[in-house]
């Protein structure tokens, strides 16, 4: 096995030399990751465009597979940069899992290229969300971060309180006082808001989305979506000409 890897390495080196291919500079890659960690979307996309204007490495004998592999590498780098910027690993890895699955679903090279820029936007948004302290209260912020980290799971008041090191009753009262509405409503609002990505960018059924976000059933998901948006998930998709 080791001999095979060495042979492939030497063949690849020879092929790259013959075709005058050079990988994008490490400096450009580090510059891209720097701007992601700084949550500077404009600069990050500017550097990404510079990288994409260069010839991509051949990571497979099949062009589409090679492009997908390249995007998975990008997703991995973006995930690490996001974690270094302060986002919890669990949340960053959840985003990574979602995007890698989406990469595998797409077969149009143009849509795949667009997805790479979308990843930059999403990971930077996650960084901004974690760097923002909208409520100016440590306990509430701990609760909010816990909810964000576990948004795809059933979330109970007691486990959030444990994460914030306070009693459930105290957290419930404090959260409502500072945020303006009950904690359970915040959880539902956040789940509904996050579910819009899957309505906009995937072919997932409403049932699959309801299950993904740990709603008890599709009807409850639809009812909550209508409550907070004034329209059903199906109408939301239609308004955006999706699916």
């Amino acid at each position: 096995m080791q001999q095979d890897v060495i042979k492939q390495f030497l063949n690849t080196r020879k092929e790259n030399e013959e075709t005058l291919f050079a990988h994008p500079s490490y400096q450009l890659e580090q510059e891209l990751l720097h701007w992601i960690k700084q949550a500077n979307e404009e600069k990050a996309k500017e550097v990404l465009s510079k990288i994409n204007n260069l010839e991509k490495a051949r990571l497979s004998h099949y062009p589409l597979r090679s492009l997908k592999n390249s995007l998975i590498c990008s997703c991995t780098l973006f995930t690490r940069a996001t974690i270094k910027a302060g986002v919890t690993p669990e949340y960053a890895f959840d985003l990574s899992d979602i995007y890698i699955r989406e990469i595998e679903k797409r077969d149009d090279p143009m849509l795949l290229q667009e997805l790479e820029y979308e990843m930059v936007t999403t990971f930077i948004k996650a960084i901004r969300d974690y760097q923002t302290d909208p409520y100016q209260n440590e306990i509430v912020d701990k609760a909010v971060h816990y909810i964000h980290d576990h948004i795809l799971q059933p979330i109970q008041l007691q486990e959030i309180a444990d994460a914030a090191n306070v009693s459930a009753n105290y957290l419930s009262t404090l959260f409502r006082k500072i945020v303006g509405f009950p904690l359970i409503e915040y959880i539902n609002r956040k789940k509904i808001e996050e579910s819009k990505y899957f309505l906009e960018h995937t072919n997932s059924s409403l049932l699959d989305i309801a299950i993904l976000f740990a709603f008890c059933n599709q009807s409850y998901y639809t009812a909550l979506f209508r409550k907070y948006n004034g329209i059903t998930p199906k109408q939301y998709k239609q308004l955006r000409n999706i699916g």
Side-chain angles (χ1 to χ4, degrees):
M1 176 65 73
Q2 187 178 14
Q3 290 297 322
D4 290 341
V5 172
I6 293 173
K7 184 178 179 180
Q8 290 179 35
F9 171 77
L10 293 174
N11 287 338
T12 300
R13 282 292 300 273
K14 181 180 179 182
E15 182 180 325
N16 287 344
E17 289 173 359
E18 289 175 349
T19 59
L20 301 179
F21 171 78
H23 292 86
S25 76
Y26 179 70
Q27 182 178 350
L28 270 180
E29 178 186 295
Q30 290 304 300
E31 187 178 348
L32 170 59
L33 299 181
H34 167 76
W35 290 123
I36 289 176
K37 286 185 284 187
Q38 294 297 314
N40 190 321
E41 184 176 349
E42 181 180 354
K43 289 288 188 181
K45 288 185 175 180
E46 183 180 312
V47 177
L48 179 59
S49 293
K50 289 181 182 178
I51 293 173
N52 284 338
N53 283 333
L54 302 172
E55 184 181 354
K56 286 186 177 292
R58 193 178 73 173
L59 304 178
S60 168
H61 293 296
Y62 305 98
L64 181 61
R65 182 68 262 166
S66 182
L67 178 58
K68 289 186 177 187
N69 289 347
S70 177
L71 263 63
I72 290 171
C73 290
S74 293
C75 185
T76 301
L77 291 172
F78 299 166
T79 301
R80 296 300 189 275
T82 302
I83 293 170
K84 288 182 178 179
V87 175
T88 61
E90 185 170 4
Y91 188 79
F93 287 137
D94 281 345
L95 287 179
S96 175
D97 291 345
I98 289 169
Y99 273 112
I100 289 174
R101 287 196 293 267
E102 190 61 27
I103 288 167
E104 293 299 339
K105 286 181 184 177
R106 299 192 183 189
D107 291 327
D108 185 323
M110 289 298 294
L111 293 178
L112 283 167
Q113 292 280 11
E114 290 174 4
L115 189 63
E116 188 171 25
Y117 288 87
E118 182 186 311
M119 284 193 289
V120 170
T121 297
T122 302
F123 280 107
I124 286 178
K125 180 180 181 300
I127 293 170
R128 288 173 178 165
D129 287 346
Y130 270 78
Q131 290 177 343
T132 302
D133 184 11
Y135 302 113
Q136 301 296 309
N137 182 281
E138 183 179 357
I139 292 173
V140 171
D141 286 334
K142 283 183 179 180
V144 166
H145 286 167
Y146 184 89
I147 292 167
H148 291 185
D149 287 344
H150 299 82
I151 199 65
L152 299 181
Q153 303 169 20
I155 306 174
Q156 302 298 324
L157 172 60
Q158 186 59 57
E159 64 190 78
I160 304 173
D162 291 343
N165 297 313
V166 295
S167 71
N169 286 338
Y170 179 77
L171 175 61
S172 182
T173 301
L174 179 68
F175 196 95
R176 182 163 193 158
K177 177 181 178 182
I178 291 179
V179 178
F181 47 82
L183 192 148
I184 185 62
E185 184 172 346
Y186 180 89
I187 294 171
N188 286 334
R189 285 176 181 266
K190 185 64 179 175
K191 283 178 177 282
I192 293 299
E193 189 62 30
E194 294 291 330
S195 77
K196 289 179 180 178
Y197 172 86
F198 294 88
L199 293 171
E200 295 175 8
H201 301 290
T202 75
N203 292 320
S204 300
S205 68
L206 297 187
L207 177 59
D208 287 341
I209 295 174
I211 292 172
L212 178 66
F213 284 90
F215 288 113
C216 57
N217 54 54
Q218 180 182 328
S219 296
Y220 184 57
Y221 167 61
T222 298
L224 281 178
F225 195 99
R226 184 199 292 270
K227 176 182 177 181
Y228 297 130
N229 295 281
I231 55 176
T232 66
K234 184 177 180 180
Q235 290 169 331
Y236 181 86
K237 287 173 70 77
Q238 291 172 342
L239 283 174
R240 284 158 177 75
N241 297 315
I242 305 166

